[in-house]
């Protein structure tokens, strides 16, 4: 009996995790990546405990931990550097079973690719159309280099997916969240004792997270119109950090100009009616793009991949029915996280002095009463467990 065949649209973290989860279940997998070469963005990525558990289900978690630095669930300061809320790594481990792991995006991609057959990833392959099929007919995937037949199609091509609008014609799609994010990996200052975490100001946040080795991951957000750009993004970011506490501006000054990337933040504010259609499943940002405030974008894509592989592990003939079970298992959780993350984004991106003062005061109350209140807020997110048998 021939192996069932899955075509995955998009070679990001969600797509590669889906490829690994399906490969481990005996599927033949083809990953279609539009980029001419596989070159993941060189940015940092934080994985809270739930994402690590999902990777553990694929026997990849320990390798990810080896390549990571550890962080805590929440450490937040004001723009002037005064602490609002602070937790420790050991406290995070004790309450959630693991620390937050921070690593390069490319290192996570390498962990996943190392576990996949070399023939899986097809670069310079743009998917132009997907016919979802049904119980009797396989799906058809049209690309600029040919046509593929698939028992399953996994759409993992990001928040601005080109496939999703064709499957859900009346859905409004992703909307701009109102802010952009600058990111860079920079050298760790040799003589400066860094304190990791996030700082909140009016109309934006900035953060510094540890990486293994002699570098750190830095980011900052700002309320700007969608589609904008600066002639020199590094200089623009340094200007914005000028009146924030040290060493934020100094860290970005140490970045190579080409290392500073800018990305508008889009999210799917209106939930999709389902995360599948016919023999097509959507996962990650293509299904439920969210703002980065809960640090759950990559984690939810990884969770999706593990749950999807669990639900379709059976007769290919009944795959559309199995995909309904996938939607039932994932839609409610991911929709709630999209909304919770959007609410947090609205608070931290607010540029009203009154609102930001109230926000910082409320977070300070959590800090004084932490870890009880913090655990209550994050436990529904971090307590997720992979399906039995994965």
């Amino acid at each position: 009996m021939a192996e069932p065949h899955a075509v995955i649209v998009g070679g990001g973290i969600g797509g590669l995790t889906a490829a690994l989860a399906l490969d481990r279940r005996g599927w033949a997998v083809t990953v279609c990546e539009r980029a001419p070469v596989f070159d993941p963005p060189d940015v940092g990525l934080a994985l809270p405990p739930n994402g690590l558990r999902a990777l553990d289900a694929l026997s990849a978690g320990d390798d990810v931990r080896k390549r990571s630095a550890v962080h805590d669930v929440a450490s937040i300061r004001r723009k002037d550097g005064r602490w609002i809320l602070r937790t420790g790594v050991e406290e995070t481990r004790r309450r959630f079973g693991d620390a937050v792991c921070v690593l390069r995006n490319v290192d996570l991609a390498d962990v996943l690719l190392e576990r996949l057959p070399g023939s899986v990833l097809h670069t310079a392959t743009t998917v132009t159309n997907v016919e979802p099929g049904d119980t009797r007919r396989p799906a058809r995937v049209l690309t600029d280099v040919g046509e593929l037949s698939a028992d399953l199609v996994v759409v993992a091509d990001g928040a601005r997916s080109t496939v999703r609008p064709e499957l859900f014609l009346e859905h409004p799609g992703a909307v701009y969240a109102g802010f952009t994010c600058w990111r860079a990996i920079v050298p760790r200052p040799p003589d400066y004792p860094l304190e990791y975490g996030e700082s909140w100001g009016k109309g934006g946040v900035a953060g510094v997270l540890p990486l293994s080795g002699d570098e750190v991951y830095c980011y900052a957000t700002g309320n700007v119109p969608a589609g904008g750009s600066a002639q020199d993004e590094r200089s623009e970011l340094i200007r914005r950090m000028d009146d924030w506490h040290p060493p934020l501006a100094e860290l970005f000054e140490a970045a190579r100009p080409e290392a500073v990337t800018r990305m508008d933040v889009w999210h799917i504010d209106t939930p999709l009616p389902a995360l599948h259609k016919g023999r097509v499943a959507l996962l990650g940002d293509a299904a439920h793009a969210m703002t980065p405030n809960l640090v759950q974008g990559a984690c939810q894509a990884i969770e999706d991949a593990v749950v999807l592989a669990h639900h379709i592990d059976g007769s290919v003939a009944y795959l559309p029915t199995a995909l309904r079970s996938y939607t039932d298992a994932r839609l409610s959780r991911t929709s709630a996280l999209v909304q919770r993350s959007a609410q947090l984004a609205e608070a931290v991106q607010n540029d009203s002095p009154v609102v930001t003062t109230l926000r910082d005061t409320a977070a300070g109350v959590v800090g004084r009463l932490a870890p009880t209140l913090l655990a209550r807020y994050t436990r529904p997110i971090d307590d997720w467990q992979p399906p039995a048998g994965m």
Side-chain angles (χ1 to χ4, degrees), residues 285-352:
D285 285 350
H288 42 69
M290 61 188 69
T291 67
N293 303 83
L294 289 178
V295 199
Q296 281 295 316
C299 286
Q300 292 308 303
I302 295 167
E303 284 186 17
D304 286 345
V306 169
V307 174
L308 174 64
H310 170 75
H311 279 282
I312 65 169
D313 192 25
S315 173
V316 173
Y318 298 101
L319 193 136
T321 301
L323 291 183
R324 283 198 290 273
S325 299
Y326 165 68
T327 285
D328 292 342
R330 297 299 299 162
L331 184 57
S332 176
R333 172 171 170 80
T334 56
S335 298
L337 290 179
V338 169
Q339 294 305 313
R340 181 181 285 199
S341 193
Q343 290 165 1
L344 185 55
E346 184 177 358
V348 300
Q349 293 298 135
N350 201 292
D351 54 14
S352 163

Side-chain angles (χ1 to χ4, degrees), residues 158-160 174-183 220-230 233 240 261-268 285 289-293 349:
R160 310 298 299 280
V175 297
Y176 183 52
F179 62 100
T180 199
C181 184
W182 289 269
R183 302 177 290 177
T221 66
N223 298 336
V224 295
S229 64
E233 297 292 356
R240 287 176 170 270
T261 64
R262 176 174 177 165
M263 181 189 69
D264 287 342
V265 177
W266 295 75
H267 64 157
I268 299 181
D285 285 350
M290 61 188 69
T291 67
N293 303 83
Q349 293 298 135

Side-chain angles (χ1 to χ4, degrees), residues 42-371:
D42 191 16
V43 297
L45 182 67
L47 291 174
N50 57 306
L52 293 169
R53 287 191 206 99
L55 290 168
D56 285 336
L58 303 177
S59 301
D62 286 344
D63 203 358
V64 167
R65 291 179 181 88
K66 291 175 184 176
R67 302 188 188 207
S68 303
V70 296
H71 189 47
D72 50 51
V73 165
S75 294
I76 303 169
R77 286 189 276 184
R78 292 179 175 86
K79 184 179 178 179
D80 62 11
R82 291 177 296 158
W83 286 101
I84 299 173
L85 168 64
R86 197 174 192 182
T87 59
V89 171
E90 291 309 315
E91 180 182 307
T92 300
R93 282 198 175 108
R94 185 173 63 254
R95 290 194 165 266
F96 303 106
D98 220 326
V100 177
C101 281
V102 187
L103 74 167
R104 288 174 181 262
N105 182 70
V106 67
D107 285 341
L108 178 53
D110 284 346
V111 168
L112 299 170
L113 277 174
E114 287 167 0
R115 288 163 167 74
L116 287 167
S119 59
V120 163
L121 181 63
H122 295 251
T123 56
T125 304
T126 299
V127 172
T128 57
N129 189 41
V130 173
E131 297 178 8
D134 54 32
T135 302
R136 293 171 296 175
R137 294 177 297 114
R140 292 175 65 237
V141 180
L142 280 64
T143 79
D144 57 355
V145 295
E147 179 182 320
L148 297 167
S149 177
D151 299 297
L152 169 69
V153 177
V154 180
V155 177
D157 58 343
R160 310 298 299 280
S161 171
T162 59
V163 177
R164 183 187 61 236
E166 299 301 318
L167 299 173
F168 300 100
L169 297 176
E170 297 183 0
H171 188 269
V175 297
Y176 183 52
F179 62 100
T180 199
C181 184
W182 289 269
R183 302 177 290 177
I185 292 176
V186 305
R188 189 190 309 271
D191 302 318
Y192 196 100
L194 283 179
E195 294 185 291
Y196 299 108
E198 189 166 87
S199 301
W200 290 359
K202 289 189 294 183
V205 304
V208 182
L209 298 180
L211 291 170
S212 61
D214 58 357
E215 294 176 309
V216 296
Y217 171 49
C218 304
Y219 61 90
T221 66
N223 298 336
V224 295
S229 64
Q231 186 174 0
D232 183 338
E233 297 292 356
R234 174 175 166 271
S235 296
E236 170 67 10
L237 186 50
I238 294 169
R239 181 188 67 80
R240 287 176 170 270
M241 293 290 102
D242 183 60
D243 59 345
W244 290 62
H245 68 79
L248 292 172
E250 292 82 357
L251 285 170
F252 285 113
E253 284 176 354
R256 292 175 292 106
E258 66 274 15
V260 178
T261 64
R262 176 174 177 165
M263 181 189 69
D264 287 342
V265 177
W266 295 75
H267 64 157
I268 299 181
D269 193 43
T270 302
L272 290 170
L275 301 186
H276 76 283
K277 186 170 185 178
R279 290 177 175 268
V280 178
L282 294 90
L283 62 71
D285 285 350
H288 42 69
M290 61 188 69
T291 67
N293 303 83
L294 289 178
V295 199
Q296 281 295 316
C299 286
Q300 292 308 303
I302 295 167
E303 284 186 17
D304 286 345
V306 169
V307 174
L308 174 64
H310 170 75
H311 279 282
I312 65 169
D313 192 25
S315 173
V316 173
Y318 298 101
L319 193 136
T321 301
L323 291 183
R324 283 198 290 273
S325 299
Y326 165 68
T327 285
D328 292 342
R330 297 299 299 162
L331 184 57
S332 176
R333 172 171 170 80
T334 56
S335 298
L337 290 179
V338 169
Q339 294 305 313
R340 181 181 285 199
S341 193
Q343 290 165 1
L344 185 55
E346 184 177 358
V348 300
Q349 293 298 135
N350 201 292
D351 54 14
S352 163
V354 174
V355 172
T356 54
T357 298
L358 291 173
R359 174 200 69 194
D360 294 350
T361 300
V365 170
V366 173
R368 287 190 295 274
L369 298 179

